[in-house]
Amino acid sequence: MRAARLIKMVLLLQSRPAMTAAELARELEVSERTVTRDAQALSEAGVPVYAERGRAGGYRLVGGYRTRLTGLARGEAEALFLSGVPGALREMGLEDAASAARLKVSAALLPSLRDASRTAAQRFHLDAPSWFREPETPVLLPEVAAAVWDDRRVAARYLRGPDEVVRELEPYGLVLKAGVWYLCARVARATHDGAFRVYRIDRFTAVEAGEERFERDEDFDLPAFWAERAEQFSRSILRAEVVVRLSADGLRRLPHAVDAPAAREALEGAGAPDADGWVTVTLPVESEEVAHEQLRALGPEVEVLAPAALRERCARDARRSAGLYGG
C-alpha cells in the first residue's frame, strides 16, 4: 500500500513543477504529516525530492529527474481504457484523436496486456443519457469543445427565454449531465462582470472562436464548480414549503420521493417523534403541484398538515382511493 503511494507521489511530482503538502495529501488521500514522512522516505531512497518554503514553495523533484516506474499493471491498463467516454468524445469531434491514442497505448503495452481494451469494453459501458429520451448532439458542440481545448475566447449568441443575448466568453470546461451538454465559462470582463456561469450548449445559436487565447485561472476546479452550481440550482427551484407528518417508513422513503436537497433540509430540521411515532417536518418544494405529485409516492406514510389547499387535495385523493377499495 505504501509502496504504491510512494510511486504515485513521484509520478505526481514528475508531472507538475511543484505541489504543496495539502495538494499531495488531497491527491494521495492521506494527511499532510504522512506526505512529509513519505517525502523523507523517498529522499532517503535516492529520489531527489525536496521542499521549498514560502508562498510559491512546495515539494519538487530536482530538474530533469525521471522515474522509470511507468510500467502498467493489468488493472491499471484496463482502467485506462475505461477512462474514455466514446459517445461524448464522438460528439465533441475527438473520436479520431481518442482512437489514435488508444492504438498508441495498446502498441506500447506488454504483449500480455494488449487485450486490456477488449476486456474493459466487455465489462463496462457508459450510457449517459437518461431513460425515455433520444440523445441529441448540439450542433455547435464541436466548435465549443475546440475552443475549450484551445483556451480561445468565443463570441456567442445565447437564448435566454425568448430573448437572444450576446456574450464574449472564456470557455473553461464542458459537463455532460444526464445527456445534456453544459459549458462552464467566465464572461469576459471587458463586456460584463467576469463571473463564472453555466450555459446549456443547445441554447447557443452562434459561436465564433477568435484568435486570442485567454489565460486560465489555475485555481478553477471544474468538478468543484459544477457540484456547487448544481447544489445552488437544486436549492433555487425550491420556492415553497409544506408541513407534513411522516411515519418511520415515510422518513426512510422521503429521500427517494423528493429532491435530495429538500429531503436533506427537512430531515435535518426534524423534531422528535410524537406519541404515535410520527415526525413533523417542514419540506421545501418547487410548488404545491410538484409537492402533490411527489408526496403521493409515500401513500399513507405521510399526512400533509399545511398549506390547507394541499391538505384538502390529498384528502380528496384519499377519499377517491377509499371509494375504489372500500367495497
Side-chain angles (χ1 to χ4, degrees), residues 133 138 141 144 148 158 173-185 197-204 222 226 233:
R133 61 174 294 170
L141 176 61
V144 175
V148 169
Y158 184 80
L174 294 167
V175 175
L176 177 60
K177 171 71 171 180
V180 179
W181 284 95
Y182 296 88
L183 172 68
C184 300
R197 295 185 178 169
V198 176
Y199 300 87
R200 274 186 62 142
I201 294 181
D202 59 6
R203 293 180 183 167
F204 283 116
L222 180 60
W226 177 259
F233 173 75

Side-chain angles (χ1 to χ4, degrees), residues 20 30 34 70 73 81 83 89 115 118 132 155 180 183 193 245-246 265 282 322:
T20 65
V30 296
T34 298
T70 54
F81 285 105
S83 63
L89 292 170
D115 65 339
R118 180 178 60 83
F132 312 119
V180 179
L183 172 68
D193 57 6
R245 289 177 71 235
L246 294 161
E265 184 173 325
T282 300

Side-chain angles (χ1 to χ4, degrees), residues 19 35 38 71 83 124 127 142 173 189 195 208 228 249-250 254 279-280:
M19 294 184 70
V35 168
D38 286 352
S83 63
F124 179 80
D127 185 10
R189 291 189 177 90
E208 183 178 350
E228 178 184 352
D249 190 43
L254 184 67
V279 173
T280 299

Side-chain angles (χ1 to χ4, degrees), residues 9-19 42 47-51 58-67:
M9 183 174 179
V10 174
L11 293 174
L12 284 169
L13 292 173
Q14 189 171 287
S15 65
R16 307 180 194 180
M19 294 184 70
L42 287 170
V47 178
V49 58
Y50 66 99
Y59 288 94
R60 305 172 186 267
L61 291 173
V62 171
Y65 177 82
R66 307 292 294 177
T67 178

Side-chain angles (χ1 to χ4, degrees), residues 53-255:
R53 297 185 180 276
R55 185 176 180 182
Y59 288 94
R60 305 172 186 267
L61 291 173
V62 171
Y65 177 82
R66 307 292 294 177
T67 178
R68 296 186 179 183
L69 298 173
T70 54
L72 293 176
R74 170 166 289 279
E76 294 168 333
E78 290 174 343
L80 178 63
F81 285 105
L82 285 179
S83 63
V85 185
L89 292 170
R90 181 174 58 254
E91 292 177 5
M92 287 188 290
L94 298 174
E95 184 176 27
D96 291 343
S99 176
R102 286 192 294 269
L103 287 173
K104 290 178 180 179
V105 171
S106 295
L109 291 173
L110 293 172
S112 61
L113 299 180
R114 287 178 184 165
D115 65 339
S117 62
R118 180 178 60 83
T119 58
Q122 289 173 339
R123 289 165 173 79
F124 179 80
H125 174 69
L126 176 64
D127 185 10
S130 58
W131 287 102
F132 312 119
R133 61 174 294 170
E134 289 294 327
E136 295 182 5
T137 303
V139 175
L140 295 174
L141 176 61
E143 287 84 349
V144 175
V148 169
W149 293 116
D150 211 21
D151 293 339
R152 290 190 183 274
R153 285 193 176 93
V154 299
R157 293 183 178 274
Y158 184 80
L159 290 176
R160 179 187 290 169
D163 302 321
E164 187 177 64
V165 297
V166 179
R167 291 285 184 269
E168 184 179 349
L169 302 175
E170 297 176 354
Y172 267 68
L174 294 167
V175 175
L176 177 60
K177 171 71 171 180
V180 179
W181 284 95
Y182 296 88
L183 172 68
C184 300
R186 182 162 61 183
V187 183
R189 291 189 177 90
T191 59
H192 215 63
D193 57 6
F196 284 100
R197 295 185 178 169
V198 176
Y199 300 87
R200 274 186 62 142
I201 294 181
D202 59 6
R203 293 180 183 167
F204 283 116
T205 58
V207 173
E208 183 178 350
E211 293 299 319
E212 182 183 4
R213 287 187 171 88
F214 64 90
E215 185 175 347
R216 295 179 68 90
D217 181 350
E218 294 302 324
D219 293 331
F220 180 78
D221 183 330
L222 180 60
F225 172 79
W226 177 259
E228 178 184 352
R229 288 305 173 92
E231 176 73 15
Q232 289 176 359
F233 173 75
S234 297
R235 190 64 188 83
S236 70
I237 64 175
L238 304 176
R239 301 185 181 95
E241 290 183 342
V242 299
V243 180
V244 298
R245 289 177 71 235
L246 294 161
S247 68
D249 190 43
L251 282 172
R252 181 183 60 80
R253 291 165 52 190
L254 184 67

